[in-house]
Amino acid sequence: MNQTKKLLIIGFVWPEPNSSAAGGRMMQLISIFKQNGFDITFASPAMDSDFMVDLSEFGIEKKSIELNNASFDDFIVALNPDVVLFDRFMIEEQFGWRVAENCPKAIRLLDTEDLHCLRTARQKAFKENRTFEFIDLLSEEVAKREIASILRCDLSFIISEFEMKILKEVFKIDSDLLYYLPFLVYEMSELDLLKLPLFEERKNFVFIGNFLHEPNWNTVQYLKETIWPIIKKQFPEAVLEVYGAYPSLKVLQLHQIKNDFLIKGRATDANEVVKKARVVLAPIRFGAGLKGKLLEAMQCGTPSMTSTIGSEAMHADLPWNGFITDDVETFAKKAVDLYHDENLWKRSQKNGVAIVNECYQLSKYSTALIAKINLLLNDSESHRLQNFMGSLLQHHTLKSTKYMAKWIEAKNKN
């Protein structure tokens, strides 16, 4: 009889699927491992939040851990996991060396969420009013940390095919260390659309996104200052509802009733909000990864307007469930067209179903993922032998993060 495999997930934060796409992504991964018989422990150094999921409801043990503290060593030795999943490279930096030393046989996985160096470099280029180029990535300090983390792990989950291309072609990462894993959702049919609110039952434009994420804040500013005035000129009765977790005072100050630009704050149920809206607006100007809000729109049968970066790597060249443009006048005009033209709206809805089924089907990816992990569990030695750069980065002479952690730990004791 096969022994139950143990998975330790070390989270940057506790999962909040109703607050961010990252939280939803983590719950998707948990679900896949759970369905495949893994015994899961979720550990994090983060403070508890009012909006985190109750992990015990999913049969998952919750463990609070400390940064720069040898108590983690005792914890992981006692747990002795078969697989460890790091949630973002910053967590691998903090705990990866401890895992490698105390449980050397455990498979080390990294969920990158998105390429932080890509998001940072694009944001910098945007603020400097210049075009982003791949060479910008090579000078990013965060890129050195992020790529080192990918190399140290046995396998990294990459959410975007565009980012797979960057890692292979710009950073020359061996494809054996990378695993393409987009958002994963259940298959839809056009019959599912009939269960959703109809065109005439929906109203208003909507934007939704976690405000701790800089691209979301920038998008709302862009809507308020540039795009919304054009939409209002064409369609005076237009109303935009802006939802998002953790709105700051500067976000709340954009609320303007007389202009129908309404800051609503956190949505109790993001799905319900998007289902009731007629069109999602997401003119994203920088960022990385995949945009959970746009996939959610497709699942809710809500057409969307977005930018080139918003749609990047999201639709496999299938027709978008709305329109993609970086031109503000075109964006506004198409948004109004989409709002008023029922036939266009319904065609866009169906495009969304096709994208969901082609690009994000859970069954298509989950079985292959578990097969890949089982392969690593059965032959980690030869896999690691091929990853010389990874073993080099595990060498003591390059473990600055380890010795910094030990110095902080010693300092805290005094």
Side-chain angles (χ1 to χ4, degrees):
M1 185 175 177
N2 288 337
Q3 192 176 356
T4 302
K5 293 185 281 289
K6 290 184 189 174
L7 167 66
L8 170 64
I9 301 173
I10 309 179
F12 182 67
V13 293
W14 302 106
E16 291 186 27
N18 291 328
S19 299
S20 70
R25 157 78 160 190
M26 180 53 72
M27 294 311 295
Q28 289 166 8
L29 292 175
I30 284 172
S31 175
I32 292 169
F33 282 107
K34 197 73 186 165
Q35 286 169 15
N36 283 276
F38 279 80
D39 186 10
I40 305 175
T41 300
F42 195 107
S44 178
M47 299 284 287
D48 285 8
S49 84
D50 294 337
F51 304 102
M52 58 191 271
V53 297
D54 182 353
L55 290 166
S56 65
E57 288 184 3
F58 298 88
I60 295 162
E61 185 182 344
K62 175 180 178 287
K63 171 73 177 175
S64 290
I65 52 177
E66 290 184 45
L67 298 170
N68 309 308
N69 194 312
S71 60
F72 178 84
D73 301 347
D74 298 331
F75 157 67
I76 197 167
V77 167
L79 183 66
N80 193 26
D82 300 284
V83 181
V84 178
L85 172 62
F86 303 104
D87 171 26
R88 287 167 261 205
F89 80 89
M90 302 83 83
I91 286 295
E92 188 281 332
E93 281 184 331
Q94 287 285 346
F95 295 100
W97 64 270
R98 291 187 184 275
V99 172
E101 285 189 1
N102 291 289
C103 293
K105 290 186 177 178
I107 298 301
R108 298 185 296 274
L109 307 175
L110 173 64
D111 186 30
T112 57
E113 294 286 357
D114 62 26
L115 276 188
H116 293 63
C117 60
L118 175 60
R119 177 155 33 98
T120 304
R122 277 180 166 163
Q123 185 171 339
K124 193 178 289 184
F126 171 78
K127 290 189 172 176
E128 293 171 2
N129 198 25
R130 59 179 175 80
T131 303
F132 162 78
E133 295 178 5
F134 283 162
I135 199 166
D136 295 339
L137 294 166
L138 300 177
S139 59
E140 277 299 322
E141 190 64 30
V142 73
K144 297 176 177 69
R145 294 170 56 198
E146 192 165 24
I147 298 306
S149 184
I150 288 170
L151 287 168
R152 283 191 297 263
C153 289
D154 296 307
L155 197 66
S156 292
F157 300 156
I158 311 302
I159 204 165
S160 154
E161 288 182 313
F162 180 71
E163 293 178 6
M164 288 286 282
K165 177 183 168 74
I166 285 173
L167 289 166
K168 290 175 185 177
E169 296 181 9
V170 178
F171 292 110
K172 314 297 184 190
I173 304 287
D174 188 331
S175 58
D176 283 347
L177 300 178
L178 307 173
Y179 194 86
Y180 173 58
L181 195 67
F183 291 127
L184 302 176
V185 297
Y186 289 107
E187 188 175 2
M188 289 181 73
S189 74
E190 291 189 11
L191 288 175
D192 291 323
L193 295 178
L194 301 176
K195 300 171 190 172
L196 297 168
L198 303 172
F199 175 83
E200 61 271 16
E201 294 171 332
R202 298 175 181 239
K203 64 177 184 177
N204 301 341
F205 294 98
V206 72
F207 171 84
I208 192 161
N210 186 322
F211 287 109
L212 296 178
H213 193 54
E214 181 68 22
N216 287 335
W217 159 237
N218 180 271
T219 300
V220 172
Q221 282 180 300
Y222 187 40
L223 279 166
K224 177 73 162 61
E225 295 164 9
T226 307
I227 293 174
W228 191 242
I230 306 172
I231 290 176
K232 283 295 279 183
K233 193 173 178 181
Q234 295 178 31
F235 176 25
E237 293 79 32
V239 176
L240 174 59
E241 296 180 326
V242 176
Y243 288 87
Y246 303 106
S248 63
L249 185 60
K250 61 184 180 180
V251 174
L252 297 172
Q253 286 172 341
L254 295 181
H255 183 73
Q256 195 175 43
I257 294 173
K258 67 176 184 180
N259 203 30
D260 296 309
F261 194 95
L262 310 177
I263 305 295
K264 296 284 194 174
R266 178 185 287 274
T268 307
D269 186 331
N271 256 277
E272 285 305 307
V273 164
V274 179
K275 280 177 189 173
K276 290 174 182 173
R278 194 173 286 180
V279 177
V280 166
L281 302 181
I284 298 159
R285 292 191 285 183
F286 57 84
L290 300 179
K291 312 304 178 284
K293 62 178 69 59
L294 295 174
L295 175 57
E296 182 176 53
M298 296 175 204
Q299 291 178 284
C300 292
T302 311
S304 65
M305 290 294 313
T306 193
S307 58
T308 306
I309 282 184
S311 67
E312 180 180 271
M314 285 207 66
H315 60 117
D317 295 326
L318 291 169
W320 189 250
N321 72 317
F323 294 99
I324 301 164
T325 179
D326 297 322
D327 179 77
V328 291
E329 295 288 345
T330 306
F331 190 101
K333 182 183 183 307
K334 294 293 187 184
V336 174
D337 289 348
L338 204 47
Y339 194 95
H340 289 299
D341 187 334
E342 185 173 357
N343 289 329
L344 175 61
W345 189 88
K346 285 181 174 175
R347 283 201 306 275
S348 298
Q349 247 196 352
K350 289 177 181 177
N351 289 346
V353 171
I355 293 168
V356 166
N357 292 340
E358 175 65 27
C359 304
Y360 305 102
Q361 202 180 125
L362 177 65
S363 58
K364 180 176 170 182
Y365 291 98
S366 57
T367 306
L369 170 64
I370 296 301
K372 178 69 174 178
I373 290 166
N374 284 332
L375 201 63
L376 285 173
L377 284 165
N378 293 330
D379 197 16
S380 61
E381 203 171 310
S382 65
H383 177 79
R384 288 174 177 173
L385 200 60
Q386 299 300 316
N387 181 15
F388 179 77
M389 293 305 290
S391 61
L392 178 68
L393 289 169
Q394 294 286 5
H395 193 267
H396 67 88
T397 56
L398 287 175
K399 285 189 176 177
S400 59
T401 50
K402 169 183 173 178
Y403 295 109
M404 175 60 80
K406 284 189 169 292
W407 179 79
I408 293 171
E409 186 179 344
K411 190 166 174 279
N412 289 342
K413 284 178 182 175
N414 291 331

